[in-house]
Amino acid sequence: MSRGTDPASRVEALLAAMSLAEKIGQLTMVRPEFAAGSADTITDSQKAGIRAGQIGSMLDIWGAGPTRAAQTVAVNESQAKIPLLFCYDVLHGYETVFPVPLGEAAAFDPDLWERTARAAAEEAAAGGVALTFAPMLDVARDPRWGRIVESFGEDAWLGRRFAEAKVRGFQGESPADAGAVAATAKHLGAYGAVTAGREYASVDVSERALHEVHLPPFRAAVEAGAAAIMPAFNDLNGVPMTGNAEVLRGIVRARWAFDGVMISDFGAVGELMVHGVAGDLAEAAALALGAGVDIDMASDAYPKGLPEALARGLVTEAQIDEAVRRVLVLKERLGLLDAPFARGGAALSEEKRQAHRALAREAACRSMVLLRDRDGLLPLQGEARHLAIIGPLADAGAEMLGPWSAAGKADDTVGYLAGLRAALPGWTISHSEGARREGGTAALLDDALDLVRAADLTLLCIGETPELCGEAGSRAEPGLPDWQRPLTEAVLGAGKPVIVALTCGRPLIAPWLFEQAGTVLAAWFPGSEAGNALADVLTGRLSPSGKLPVSWPRAVGQIPIFFGQSATGRPADPAERLTSRYLDVASAPLFPFGHGLSYARFEYRDLRVTPAVARPGDGITVEVDIANSGAREGRETAFLFIRDPVASVARPVLELRGAAGITLAPGEAGSLRFSLKPDDLAFSTGEGTSRLEPGRFEILAGPSADRASLLQASIELRMS
Ligand code: GLC
């Protein structure tokens, strides 16, 4: 590969020198086939495939050793000498594991999101990884769907901020930096709206919902420079995303001018046959390539189907060249053509690793949401008291990391018990797991109850384990696992103060639990520093500041539940039967989007909107005063919503347009300022264009999407 020539010419020269088989090889991504008994040496047959130019990228191989070994074969022993692209699911950390995205979203802090992505990129790149299959940008409003854990939650505006921050963090100033990785915006599109929350099920959404809710986070990722996009497994209104040219080419490539690489999801090209839109591998390959999918992840469709598709005239070599060109441009953009061994070249310093651990602790603290503290048990007070730490997740390691924990290790994780012990040296701390999934634990339950009765108060650590969430983690009854209920009810019924710490990847729907538990904290899957972070929050070293990025349902029957719903012609009125409500469950969520308690006490005052009349091109400033009337310092996230009460279509009762944090000492007051443009008052039409209509708009600010908690003002928009 001649250095020094301009990138485009270099890519063209490479392309011109490649055989058809080598071109198809660049479009082929495979998993490593490790030699028997080895966890890091690929088989001779796979080395032969690399040497023959049949493989362009690999997933699920990481670490400097294994990646260097495979890269050496590609760079030194193949004809074209094109480096491999090593890809991995680094969603929320690599070796240092941060809170799962749903938890990290609760911090409502793009700067934090960017910093954790940056740290993850540095560690992954040191492990030879050049592309991550992240951020996951699917709007998720259905807690039955296991992948809600990978999401930023229910709101498209929040998703756009999350997308921008993560792409910046992963890719840094230049994706060619040895500490940067290419970001992949996944899984486009509307995957979070699978039928009945059932994994991989069909998605049927309106054009308006597609353009107003599901696509904006992906567009934001493209605008932030995301290097890659991964279409979703699902079909969208009958057309499988992997073969959906109307969306992938018509919208993403044509309208958004995305010229990056599209990577299918695992096996998804071949699955076009199972969807029933391709009769054989050649047709499947042709459909995907025609839709703009450049790399076939692990389905064989491209290596086996494309030559036949070409021979049958289903594709042209020009189409193949177009895809190969994008892959080569990506490799060039990542610096691989010049320095194929730069990633994986040097281990991170101990100082950097310690900084990442501190960041993981900060992120985990900021992700935890105090849902309820009816009895004022928190923060833990006093010098030497007796705390019983009970539950199957009290002293867990791997369970703290959640799904997609990459290279994270259980024995490198601080569990709750260890974290609390370290934070409360003068306290007596007793521990029992209290219950085991396999059952037969009556004695364990008795042991736990003895400790509860002997202690001043109990920390009950219950919830989900990672395999109940993430991909293929759909649950029709997304509550606390049944095997934990006897222990939970026994402990809550023992007549002593109990703090419940929920480890979970979704809002758990457990009415019985919330009827009995007075103090509940959602810890999500907090990551490597779980125990230290929980201790920081429970002891008050840091006031809890996380707020829910999803509405927390009372019942499964409410799903999908989210704050941005339309008013309907008969808004819910508990006193009126003929209104939009249920007979058996209140319409409102158990906890609204944005809910989260603090040890401080925040009061919102004096919402100001200027100007009173705005025209296109004007700036709109919204200010709100906030005071801390509590006795402890705290960080508050304030939300800015709009509502268009009269428009050409029924608009949601609330639309999120801002979230900002402020830290206030006891007695301190401050102001938050939001800047809006008239375009922020627009809405998407079904064709994906935005529409701005004159009239009066409500501007609301406050602590959550609970309308009763919001201050309200208005502004008039005139078009001239
Ligand atoms: C999985 C997931 C996707 C992931 C890919 C590679 O099936 O759907 O999110 O990036 O395969 O692991």
Side-chain angles (χ1 to χ4, degrees):
M1 288 161 289
S2 51
R3 297 164 181 266
T5 51
D6 70 279
S9 311
R10 191 179 194 182
V11 164
E12 292 310 318
L14 282 172
L15 192 57
M18 292 167 80
S19 67
L20 175 66
E22 287 171 328
K23 291 177 182 177
I24 294 175
Q26 286 302 309
L27 309 185
T28 302
M29 180 187 290
V30 299
R31 300 194 70 195
E33 296 163 3
F34 290 121
S38 162
D40 56 14
T41 306
I42 58 176
T43 59
D44 290 342
S45 65
Q46 194 160 57
K47 284 179 186 171
I50 294 171
R51 203 170 289 122
Q54 294 165 356
I55 298 169
S57 49
M58 298 179 79
L59 75 150
D60 293 348
I61 179 172
W62 71 90
T67 55
R68 292 183 70 85
Q71 194 68 289
T72 300
V73 176
V75 169
N76 296 345
E77 301 172 26
S78 73
Q79 183 284 122
K81 303 194 184 327
I82 296 171
L84 293 166
L85 177 69
F86 296 115
C87 312
Y88 195 30
D89 291 284
V90 181
L91 263 80
H92 55 106
Y94 178 73
E95 288 165 335
T96 307
V97 180
F98 299 103
V100 289
L102 188 63
E104 203 184 17
F108 287 90
D109 184 350
D111 173 64
L112 177 70
W113 301 337
E114 180 174 347
R115 287 188 287 133
T116 57
R118 187 96 219 94
E122 289 171 349
E123 291 187 4
V129 174
L131 177 142
T132 178
F133 300 128
M136 190 273 208
L137 297 176
D138 299 299
V139 171
R141 298 174 163 176
D142 188 335
R144 294 170 296 184
W145 188 48
R147 306 197 80 162
I148 192 172
V149 67
E150 303 172 41
S151 167
F152 49 84
E154 70 181 59
D155 184 73
W157 181 90
L158 184 62
R160 288 160 51 199
R161 305 289 83 78
F162 193 80
E164 294 157 352
K166 288 300 181 186
V167 170
R168 284 195 306 265
F170 285 128
Q171 297 187 169
E173 290 304 311
S174 160
D177 289 346
V181 296
T184 306
K186 75 180 185 184
H187 314 79
L188 194 149
Y191 188 9
V194 285
T195 304
R198 194 176 67 254
E199 183 61 290
Y200 311 128
S202 290
V203 168
D204 206 330
V205 295
S206 69
E207 285 300 306
R208 166 181 308 289
L210 181 67
H211 288 289
E212 187 150 70
V213 176
H214 298 286
L215 291 181
F218 290 90
R219 181 165 196 170
V222 168
E223 289 169 353
I229 282 179
M230 182 188 292
F233 282 121
N234 54 278
D235 72 83
L236 174 64
N237 303 336
V239 182
M241 278 313 304
T242 307
N244 195 321
E246 183 186 344
V247 174
L248 300 182
R249 280 199 184 279
I251 296 175
V252 178
R253 292 205 183 279
R255 227 184 283 177
W256 300 354
F258 175 69
D259 62 358
V261 168
M262 284 192 188
I263 304 170
S264 82
D265 205 334
F266 198 99
V269 178
E271 287 172 10
L272 291 173
M273 293 188 287
V274 186
H275 276 285
V277 295
D280 58 24
L281 268 185
E283 286 182 10
L287 196 55
L289 191 73
V293 174
D294 301 307
I295 293 178
D296 166 14
M297 183 196 294
S299 96
D300 270 351
Y302 279 13
K304 292 184 178 164
L306 274 183
E308 185 180 341
L310 194 61
R312 285 161 50 184
L314 300 177
V315 298
T316 64
E317 184 148 3
Q319 281 179 289
I320 292 173
D321 287 355
E322 175 196 341
V324 177
R325 190 171 287 115
R326 284 193 285 258
V327 173
L328 295 177
V329 165
L330 174 60
K331 291 184 174 180
E332 198 282 332
R333 200 178 154 206
L334 287 170
L336 284 173
L337 301 188
D338 281 323
F341 298 98
R343 292 180 181 84
L348 253 55
S349 68
E350 184 52 28
E351 181 190 3
K352 181 77 90 167
R353 287 189 180 286
Q354 289 310 317
H356 292 176
R357 292 293 298 209
L359 178 59
R361 182 168 179 167
E362 176 195 354
C365 280
R366 302 272 305 280
S367 71
M368 294 181 179
V369 180
L370 183 55
L371 296 173
R372 177 187 286 168
D373 184 17
R374 276 191 187 136
D375 313 321
L377 298 181
L378 294 175
L380 298 176
Q381 312 274 1
E383 289 311 312
R385 297 173 66 189
H386 181 169
L387 174 66
I389 301 183
I390 305 294
L393 294 168
D395 189 22
E399 289 77 2
M400 298 292 105
L401 304 182
W404 303 110
S405 55
K409 300 183 187 69
D411 56 16
D412 197 18
T413 302
V414 180
Y416 298 143
L417 179 62
L420 269 295
R421 280 194 166 135
L424 299 169
W427 285 44
T428 300
I429 292 182
S430 56
H431 162 247
S432 166
E433 61 182 315
R436 290 195 189 105
R437 187 189 343 239
E438 57 274 18
T441 54
L444 211 51
L445 176 55
D446 292 343
D447 171 52
L449 287 179
D450 289 345
L451 299 183
V452 169
R453 293 187 189 102
D456 297 317
L457 78 164
T458 292
L459 172 62
L460 180 58
C461 306
I462 51 178
E464 292 184 305
T465 41
E467 78 283 352
L468 291 178
C469 306
E471 185 174 0
S474 290
R475 299 178 65 205
E477 296 183 341
L480 188 74
D482 288 341
W483 58 275
Q484 296 179 33
R485 183 163 182 171
L487 168 70
T488 301
E489 294 199 307
V491 170
L492 291 172
K496 300 295 283 286
V498 179
I499 301 156
V500 175
L502 282 181
T503 299
C504 53
R506 53 172 39 101
L508 291 180
I509 301 174
W512 61 270
L513 171 66
F514 290 100
E515 283 157 12
Q516 299 175 48
T519 300
V520 186
L521 179 132
W524 314 109
F525 290 105
S528 303
E529 285 288 319
N532 289 329
L534 182 64
D536 288 344
V537 169
L538 296 186
T539 61
R541 190 180 81 82
L542 273 176
S543 174
S545 60
K547 292 198 163 187
L548 291 179
V550 283
S551 307
W552 195 294
R554 295 171 191 276
V556 174
Q558 290 183 297
I559 295 172
I561 184 168
F562 50 98
F563 71 83
Q565 308 217 24
S566 303
T568 79
R570 299 186 174 184
D573 176 349
E576 278 297 325
R577 179 182 177 90
L578 301 181
T579 63
S580 180
R581 56 189 278 267
Y582 304 99
L583 293 179
D584 51 353
V585 173
S587 307
L590 180 62
F591 302 110
F593 175 96
H595 173 77
L597 303 182
S598 167
Y599 300 150
R601 188 179 311 282
F602 298 109
E603 292 169 7
Y604 285 71
R605 301 172 187 145
D606 192 12
L607 176 64
R608 303 179 294 281
V609 181
T610 49
V613 178
R615 291 172 176 79
D618 287 350
I620 301 168
T621 301
V622 180
E623 287 182 293
V624 64
D625 298 339
I626 302 175
N628 175 4
S629 60
R632 284 181 170 268
E633 179 178 276
R635 173 188 167 90
E636 171 69 347
T637 293
F639 298 100
L640 174 67
F641 298 97
I642 66 167
R643 186 190 182 198
D644 186 348
V646 180
S648 56
V649 293
R651 305 299 307 139
V653 293
L654 287 177
E655 296 180 62
L656 184 64
R657 288 292 181 273
I662 185 169
T663 298
L664 295 171
E668 186 183 8
S671 294
L672 280 174
R673 169 179 296 193
F674 300 89
S675 298
L676 288 177
K677 302 182 299 300
D679 280 351
D680 293 316
L681 306 177
F683 59 87
S684 284
T685 65
E687 295 74 43
T689 56
S690 77
R691 183 182 177 87
L692 191 58
E693 295 178 345
R696 185 178 70 84
F697 288 80
E698 296 168 4
I699 307 292
L700 305 100
S704 78
D706 172 8
R707 180 121 192 179
S709 72
L710 300 176
L711 299 179
Q712 182 174 329
S714 64
I715 189 170
E716 184 184 347
L717 178 66
R718 290 182 191 156
M719 302 312 281
S720 60

